[in-house]
Amino acid sequence: MAAVSDHGLKRIVWKRIKDTIIADCKKSEVWKILILDPFTTKLLSSCCKMSDLMEERITIVEDLFKSREPVLEMKAIYFMTPTSKCVDAFIADFKSKPKYKSAYVYFTDYCPDDLFNKMKSSCAKHIRVCKEINISFLPQEAQVFTCDDPGAFRRIYSPHSQDKSKTLETLADQLVTLCATLNEYPGVRYKKDNNMQNAKTLAELVDNKLARHYELDDSGKKKEKTQAQLLIVERGFDPVSPILHELTYQAMAYDLIDIQNDTYRYKSKDGSEKHALLNEDDMLWVKLRHHHIAEVSEQIPKMVKEISASKKQPDGKITISNLAQMMKKMPSFRKQLTEKTIHLQLAEDCMKHFSNNVEKLCKAEQDLAVGADADGTKVKDPMRTLLPVLLNPFSKHDKIRAVLLYIFSLSGTTDENLNKFIQHVKIEDEREFILNWKELGVPIITTASFFSRKPNRKDRSQEETYNLSRWTPVIKDVMEDAVENKLDSRDWPHQSECPAAWNGSGAVSARQRNKPSTQDDRRTGSRLIIFVIGGITYSEMRCAYEVTQAVKSCEVIVGSSHILTPIGLLEDIKALSKGPMETFTVEERSNA
């Protein structure tokens, strides 16, 4: 299990768990067993470690669905999702022969009456506590959450799905638990799209469920709106960011290296397999993850040199084998050096890919995405930019990414052009990689009936950027405009009115940010929450931290059903035309 994060969502979630589950259990000074399902295992792993649980007198953590030995003298805490699969497993523990002395039951979310009554009728005498604690999301990072549901993408966007409504309903419930955990009652807005209705539908659902949730607070009064705003957008609002090769450390690593479950596997100098967890316990990762790879490649060797200088080690080129030697000579610095070794290795892996292929692709990708070259000269003929990529021996996925950027730059292409691209890339049997973007409301074939308006982009020509990293995700424009009250209500209708600080009067511009103002005072400690239907990218996650850092008076939190990688998204897009789909149940989301 992970260590407790010192800040952000993870700390808030752990505090909530301590104030509910742990506080109840502390009333009796006996050691207890904690029983979790797959979702609550992930949830607890994201915000605490085993030693934190031991401190709270929890001695064993068990899997709800695995065979367990009875421990009749101990009380058991069940922390689980309110699904029939979980409830049946719980009942089985007590129905004929109880496994534990008694049960303290905590559901992540609202438990339907039929399941509650089933539990009550089967084993009420064994249940000491039964509560719903309203946490059915995962705190992924300090300012990032997910609903832990990659399958939502297909259920929402596949033309064969029969479960879109149920999926949006479940996402709405999860978003309400996020707001409840943050103790926020936000005003809700959504991105209007004439071709797609999912953002509007989800905004309505969330707003209605929030109103019901906050009908009465603990003192019996109706809760007022807090200084928060929730924006809901669909993945199709920015198809470029998930497809580009990103050169900031975290986004680049997850795109180019096979990192599963945040675990980076690599071979050490002696050939042995090693693995490292890339999460917020690794402070070097937190420090470097949003930096450009050029800076990361420069900074890590510098850090190592500082360590070696402090131990009077001879200077020289920093390599993995040098580090291994230093670690043998300096056991006290082993932890610091291990951290640096991991990131030196990961940065080297990223740079290898960059030198081999990515560097050549990046210029064309950036020119197509931005619509201009590094000197600011407008790209007049995007086909001339694309052709060298198609004629070079790049991978199938890389060529598809470039073709898509060409199509996005023109808001669609002709059937004739598309067929030529498909032959060039040799995907005659896999044209869904490109065609299925239409399911996200992204124009692929130019037609008179399909109305598409490209968003007006902010002028960032004065900002310092690397030539191969000129693109800024559209979501960053949205964040900055939202914080400055500049979102146009024709594009961003209000599902519910926002509190005074977000009402558009007396907006604070970026240039005036440091001047004291009543608006700024009113907004201090406020939150902007953005939810992207269909997955969020690492570059968009980075924007939340950048805008929070720049504005300081408002914290930006972003989330989605899951986090995207470019190849993963392409495969998901291709799979949209597979059908008919099996019916979705909430159990599959929680316990898959």
Side-chain angles (χ1 to χ4, degrees), residues 288-550:
L288 297 174
R289 63 187 171 188
H290 300 142
H291 287 231
H292 194 279
I293 191 66
E295 294 162 18
V296 174
S297 302
E298 208 176 88
Q299 282 182 34
I300 300 170
K302 257 190 204 163
M303 290 172 185
V304 177
K305 278 188 178 170
E306 281 163 19
I307 294 175
S308 61
S310 71
K311 281 308 226 183
K312 299 190 168 53
Q313 288 297 313
D315 255 359
K317 190 173 185 302
I318 300 297
T319 63
I320 302 293
S321 53
N322 284 1
L323 279 180
Q325 290 304 312
M326 284 165 67
M327 282 165 76
K328 281 177 192 162
K329 291 177 192 169
M330 300 188 288
S332 61
F333 282 76
R334 188 180 297 273
K335 185 175 183 291
Q336 285 182 55
L337 284 171
T338 302
E339 214 174 55
K340 312 289 186 289
T341 310
I342 292 159
H343 291 289
L344 193 63
Q345 182 73 57
L346 181 55
E348 273 183 19
D349 279 1
C350 288
M351 286 307 290
K352 237 176 259 170
H353 284 277
F354 180 72
S355 310
N356 291 347
N357 285 321
V358 176
E359 188 175 9
K360 300 182 193 88
L361 286 163
C362 277
K363 184 188 180 312
E365 287 186 356
Q366 290 292 318
D367 289 358
L368 288 168
V370 177
D373 65 16
D375 301 321
T377 310
K378 196 168 186 282
V379 174
K380 291 194 176 79
D381 183 2
M383 186 66 86
R384 284 183 69 176
T385 309
L386 174 65
L387 271 177
V389 176
L390 297 183
L391 298 173
N392 269 302
F394 293 117
S395 72
K396 174 180 78 177
H397 282 123
D398 284 341
K399 288 186 178 185
I400 292 168
R401 286 163 81 167
V403 166
L404 284 167
L405 289 169
Y406 168 86
I407 294 170
F408 299 158
S409 74
L410 298 171
S411 294
T413 188
T414 61
D415 265 321
E416 186 188 351
N417 264 351
L418 186 62
N419 287 328
K420 282 181 189 165
F421 293 145
I422 284 166
Q423 285 164 9
H424 256 300
V425 185
K426 298 184 173 59
I427 53 165
E428 286 88 347
D429 298 332
E430 299 176 297
R431 53 183 61 222
E432 295 84 9
F433 274 126
I434 295 171
L435 288 175
N436 282 354
W437 282 85
K438 70 179 186 293
E439 306 298 348
L440 277 66
V442 179
I444 294 299
I445 303 296
T446 318
T447 63
S449 63
F450 201 103
F451 174 74
S452 173
R453 185 159 61 91
K454 274 186 155 187
N456 291 326
R457 296 306 310 270
K458 281 198 168 193
D459 178 15
R460 298 183 185 270
S461 55
Q462 300 311 305
E463 293 181 13
E464 274 188 44
T465 55
Y466 288 85
N467 282 349
L468 300 182
S469 299
R470 286 170 282 131
W471 171 260
T472 300
V474 180
I475 207 167
K476 190 170 188 183
D477 293 1
V478 172
M479 290 169 183
E480 290 174 346
D481 284 347
V483 167
E484 295 183 8
N485 286 319
K486 288 181 180 171
L487 285 183
D488 189 329
S489 54
R490 287 168 299 186
D491 292 329
W492 292 88
H494 291 263
Q495 183 58 44
S496 62
E497 273 313 303
C498 295
W502 295 99
N503 68 5
S505 59
V508 183
S509 81
R511 287 177 294 283
Q512 299 170 311
R513 222 170 260 140
N514 298 324
K515 297 178 186 172
S517 79
T518 51
Q519 177 77 4
D520 225 15
D521 295 340
R522 269 191 303 177
R523 191 90 65 72
T524 299
S526 65
R527 285 194 177 100
L528 172 66
I529 304 163
I530 302 185
F531 186 79
V532 184
I533 299 172
I536 194 164
T537 70
Y538 286 99
S539 58
E540 289 166 333
M541 287 158 54
R542 185 187 77 245
C543 294
Y545 295 91
E546 289 171 349
V547 173
T548 302
Q549 189 57 37

Side-chain angles (χ1 to χ4, degrees), residues 201-257:
T201 305
L202 185 59
E204 285 170 1
L205 285 167
V206 172
D207 200 50
N208 291 336
K209 287 172 186 287
L210 276 169
R212 280 203 301 278
H213 180 81
Y214 283 128
E215 222 155 23
L216 294 175
D217 66 10
D218 296 338
S219 58
K221 292 177 188 161
K222 192 174 186 296
K223 188 176 171 78
E224 296 297 320
K225 294 267 177 161
T226 56
Q227 301 299 316
Q229 185 167 201
L230 168 63
L231 305 181
I232 296 173
V233 301
E234 294 210 45
R235 182 62 269 164
F237 90 111
D238 176 8
V240 173
S241 295
I243 292 303
L244 275 176
H245 279 91
E246 252 277 333
L247 299 183
T248 48
Y249 188 35
Q250 182 184 36
M252 190 180 190
Y254 278 82
D255 180 6
L256 302 178
I257 316 294

Side-chain angles (χ1 to χ4, degrees), residues 138-183:
L138 284 186
Q140 206 74 36
E141 291 183 1
Q143 290 173 231
V144 181
F145 69 94
T146 72
C147 296
D148 190 37
D149 189 8
F153 181 84
R154 192 170 168 207
R155 295 193 304 274
I156 290 169
Y157 290 113
S158 168
H160 305 290
S161 172
Q162 291 155 25
D163 291 304
K164 183 198 278 197
S165 300
K166 199 184 286 186
T167 302
L168 290 170
E169 188 93 34
T170 304
L171 291 175
D173 287 332
Q174 290 175 285
L175 270 171
V176 169
T177 74
L178 171 85
C179 295
T181 303
L182 295 171
N183 196 24

